Amino acid sequence: MSTIIVSKHSSNTNTGIDIDAITSDEYQEQQAESVKVTLFAPEVEDVGTVDTNATNTLTVMRSVLESYEQHKHDLPVTVWLQKEFGKYPDIWQNQAEIETTATDLIKTLTIANAKKAALHAHLQAGQSQNSWLATEIENSAGAAGVVQVGAFAGTIDTALIQANELNIKAITRLDGAISQARNLDGFIAEHHHANTFNLEAAAQGKPYTAKVLEPAPGQTYGKNSMDIGIYDADGKLVRRYQSKYGADADATTELFERGNYRGQRKLVPEGHSDSTSAEAIEFDGVTSKPLSKEEAKALQERAQQQSEAKQYEWKDTNRLEITKQIGRQALIAAGITAGLQGARILGRRLWNSLRGEANPTVSEDLEEFFVSTLSGAGNIGVQVAVSGGLIIAVKNGWLAGLAKNTPAGLIANIAFVGLENAKVLFKLAQGKLSREEALDAMGRTTTLTITTLAASMQGAALGASIGVVLGPIGAAVGSFVGAVAGGIAGSTIGEAIYEGGKAVCRTAFRTVKDLAIASREALSTATEYVGEKLASAWDYLTS
């Protein structure tokens, strides 16, 4: 299990972040190498390599941008993107998937840019970001048919808290590794199996106990570590289980293929099993109750909605307080992303290597994007091109940190955040923003992204989407993309983004350290509540 970077004076009253260690050149270089492996390690052994996958990703990003600049005046962006996707026929099921993906990508970026303009106009009118966010949440909840606006807002806040907690844990690892976020429904499933096994053991009078592996305070989950252990009366571990809850049977199988779980039995959702896996944990005639993916999701949503309805009662007197809390979480998320200098180092290093081999031309459209004002309308064509290149890389399995079936809208949001934040860092390096102003601007980008997601998602899907885009993997991909885009825009812009990121790191982590106490306390409260609900899982599923 990896050691965590903690302050010598860390306690329960702070995040334990050692700012000197995390902002050191040695740590950031180490993080760059770990991010490279996390993002580009092939999903299946012996299929591609980290280096070839990284090179292929950069090559396709550059190729798609060059194609866009060649055809932007003679083809509508939707038609051009579909033709570009069509150059890779093996990654699509049919033409309809190409058309749907292109439509979803462009629609997402259109919404994001419209919301950026709306927020700027709101602020220019002397009104607050919190009041704008409150109205956006109300509008999105209404469009989704959600009656309890407080529960809808709570979904956003809880998802941000969870993503930030995972980010803090990931970014404070001594080895600089970025861990994939654990889905709450998977967490619930593990506890369900342990609880129902223990109930059955008690009913049979057998001395066995199932326990879910949970790291001690200040530690993280070890690579390929077991999820559930069964112990005998002497505390001896008698059976190990690895649990995977994919969206379907194929997705579950794919999750197992990503790790080495030798010595562990495979636990899967009801209906996903084959000859190598099981739908329940078992020992000496004691078994847990099978749980489907749909039931796990239902438990997750039920626990979250009940908790949120209780904690986030939406009314005129407190709607701005709730959005202030969401705003604080957005700023924490922005601070963590700003501190991911290792991902920007990786993007800069890989692009410089590729540039030396191919001597590519500078993208004038990307250069124009970075030079334009922060409040100006985004060049949606450039955003579409960058996002399109990412989608091709993901579907080819080159950018393996994201699953091949990641929705186009989520990838577009990741690209949008990465490009907008890179622009902020460029302005910081130019001296047009202070470090604090840069961090605030990145926080606004996070808020915009939340509202873009909320406009098209609801319930558990909204929470999961926030986790993908703003969690460890999404943050790393976005930072990497921003650095690469800066390099494609020219060496001057690329170097400025690198220097801006280096300059803002310390301010970012100081802000995270100051604000994350609230995140930790809120997450603890939510976890305790979910734990209480899990205790009655058997009654709920059998009622």
Side-chain angles (χ1 to χ4, degrees), residues 41-42 64 75 117 120 131 280 301 303 326 333 357 392 407 433 458 482 528 537:
V64 174
L75 285 176
H120 176 66
S131 64
E301 195 161 359
I326 294 173
E357 295 175 3
I392 293 169
L433 295 173
Q458 58 177 297
E528 289 174 4

Side-chain angles (χ1 to χ4, degrees), residues 308-349:
E308 290 153 6
K310 177 181 177 182
Q311 297 177 26
Y312 301 92
E313 184 181 1
W314 190 270
K315 51 189 178 183
D316 289 342
T317 55
N318 71 345
R319 62 196 287 272
L320 293 185
E321 286 303 315
I322 294 173
T323 54
K324 283 181 182 178
Q325 165 63 12
I326 294 173
R328 283 193 290 270
Q329 296 306 321
L331 190 56
I332 291 174
I336 295 168
T337 300
L340 269 173
Q341 182 70 349
R344 287 185 285 273
I345 290 173
L346 174 64
R348 171 175 172 260
R349 181 187 301 160

Side-chain angles (χ1 to χ4, degrees), residues 43-228:
E43 292 184 359
V44 181
E45 196 172 347
D46 298 328
V47 178
T49 67
V50 172
D51 288 332
T52 57
N53 285 346
T55 299
N56 286 340
T57 298
L58 265 68
T59 300
V60 78
M61 287 178 65
R62 182 185 66 186
S63 171
V64 174
L65 273 163
E66 289 177 348
S67 174
Y68 166 72
E69 294 191 336
Q70 290 171 6
H71 298 289
K72 63 183 179 181
H73 296 304
D74 54 47
L75 285 176
V77 68
T78 303
V79 175
W80 164 79
L81 184 59
Q82 290 178 15
K83 287 181 177 292
E84 201 65 25
F85 284 162
K87 295 177 181 178
Y88 304 85
D90 294 339
I91 65 176
W92 308 101
Q93 295 180 1
N94 47 46
Q95 180 63 26
E97 185 186 7
I98 290 177
E99 294 173 1
T100 299
T101 301
T103 300
D104 289 348
L105 187 159
I106 294 170
K107 179 183 177 182
T108 296
L109 292 171
T110 300
I111 292 172
N113 282 287
K115 290 189 179 299
K116 177 182 176 182
L119 175 55
H120 176 66
H122 189 85
L123 296 175
Q124 286 293 102
Q127 301 183 69
S128 72
Q129 178 174 302
N130 292 326
S131 64
W132 180 82
L133 179 57
T135 300
E136 285 291 311
I137 289 173
E138 290 165 347
N139 290 341
S140 294
V146 176
V147 176
Q148 292 184 331
V149 181
F152 190 79
T155 297
I156 296 171
D157 192 35
T158 301
L160 275 172
I161 290 171
Q162 292 168 348
N164 286 337
E165 183 78 4
L166 287 166
N167 283 334
I168 291 171
K169 287 179 179 179
I171 209 166
T172 53
R173 288 169 60 99
L174 186 59
D175 59 7
I178 304 297
S179 305
Q180 182 66 283
R182 290 167 59 87
N183 292 326
L184 182 57
D185 63 316
F187 168 82
I188 286 176
E190 292 167 14
H191 281 269
H192 160 84
H193 282 286
N195 289 342
T196 56
F197 177 92
N198 293 338
L199 285 170
E200 182 63 18
Q204 294 187 26
K206 293 186 176 179
Y208 304 116
T209 303
K211 297 179 181 179
V212 175
L213 175 68
E214 294 182 352
Q219 300 295 311
T220 61
Y221 292 90
K223 184 177 181 181
N224 300 328
S225 59
M226 73 174 183
D227 291 322
I228 304 172

